[in-house]
Amino acid sequence: MYPLIEIKTVPIELEMKVTNAKLEYARGTADLEISRQQGGLNIRSRAIRLNLDTFEARNSLSPTPVRSIEQSAQRGQQAAYEATAVYAQQGQVLLNAKIGEEMVTKFAADAQARQIKTNVGIQFLPTTGPEISWTPGEMNIRFEMDKLNFDWRMNQTKFQFTPGDIEISVKQRPEVIIKYVGGPLYVPPSSDPNYEPLDTQA
């Protein structure tokens, strides 16, 4: 006897695809703006300044009313001082006079000598020169170079994350194959061309 049935099993077949997770860096960009600030050359010059003050010189030629009154007062004061001195001198002479000396002639000679001395009539005009002052010249030179301004503007850096993935697919389903490997069955068995009756008497 040999087996009439053959049983065969087919296992399940799975296919699995795995995608790894990824973190991608998106490079940021930068904008550069350049601006120029122009310099220059600046020269400032100031010439010599001459100051002439002729107030006193003009007053000596044609004095103002205030200055004229002041000068008259000074001349009156000077005349008073001189007259006092003359009278004091004459008094001293009278104290030292001797009998028989002619004092009148002496007084007259002294007065004439003083008048000649004081009334010469020569005067240099103007009596006072102008006041002269000066301010020296000045030159300032200022040079400024051009300037370059750099303005960097960085964009935001971005990261992109791709999660992992697992994909499972079934390529072959599990099966059980049952196959009959025996010969045909005849009913009744005597209809089998290769039938051999069983010997039951032996």
Side-chain angles (χ1 to χ4, degrees), residues 4-188:
L4 299 179
I5 296 174
E6 182 180 344
I7 299 175
K8 184 179 180 181
T9 61
V10 178
I12 189 172
E13 184 179 353
L14 300 176
E15 183 180 8
M16 185 170 59
K17 295 181 180 179
V18 179
T19 304
N20 296 327
K22 292 187 297 183
L23 180 63
E24 295 178 345
Y25 165 69
R27 179 174 297 177
T29 59
D31 296 331
L32 174 61
E33 181 179 351
I34 301 176
S35 60
R36 178 182 178 185
Q37 184 177 355
Q38 188 174 4
L41 177 64
N42 184 15
I43 300 177
R44 185 177 62 181
S45 176
R46 186 179 65 185
I48 297 175
R49 178 179 295 179
L50 180 64
N51 302 316
L52 293 176
D53 187 1
T54 60
F55 180 76
E56 295 295 336
R58 286 185 286 107
N59 275 333
S60 65
L61 294 174
S62 177
T64 60
V66 176
R67 183 57 64 87
S68 180
I69 295 173
E70 183 180 353
Q71 291 176 355
S72 298
Q74 290 178 354
R75 286 195 297 268
Q77 187 177 7
Q78 184 68 26
Y81 288 156
E82 291 178 358
T84 302
V86 170
Y87 291 146
Q89 185 179 4
Q90 291 179 356
Q92 187 68 28
V93 171
L94 290 174
L95 288 176
N96 295 330
K98 296 179 181 179
I99 299 174
E101 188 175 3
E102 296 181 0
M103 301 303 297
V104 176
T105 305
K106 188 173 183 180
F107 287 156
D110 292 341
Q112 187 177 5
R114 283 194 301 273
Q115 187 176 3
I116 294 173
K117 184 177 180 181
T118 57
N119 295 328
V120 177
I122 299 176
Q123 185 177 6
F124 294 97
L125 296 176
T127 58
T128 304
E131 294 183 7
I132 300 175
S133 63
W134 63 283
T135 303
E138 182 180 358
M139 177 177 288
N140 294 326
I141 300 176
R142 181 181 177 183
F143 174 72
E144 187 175 357
M145 298 180 63
D146 294 349
K147 295 180 181 178
L148 290 178
N149 300 320
F150 296 90
D151 187 11
W152 288 93
R153 288 194 296 270
M154 301 292 296
N155 295 331
Q156 186 177 3
T157 304
K158 297 180 179 179
F159 292 91
Q160 183 178 2
F161 175 72
T162 302
D165 185 25
I166 299 176
E167 181 180 352
I168 301 175
S169 60
V170 179
K171 297 188 69 175
Q172 176 64 49
R173 296 179 179 276
E175 291 182 279
V176 176
I177 300 174
I178 301 173
K179 183 178 181 182
Y180 178 74
V181 294
L185 297 177
Y186 294 94
V187 177

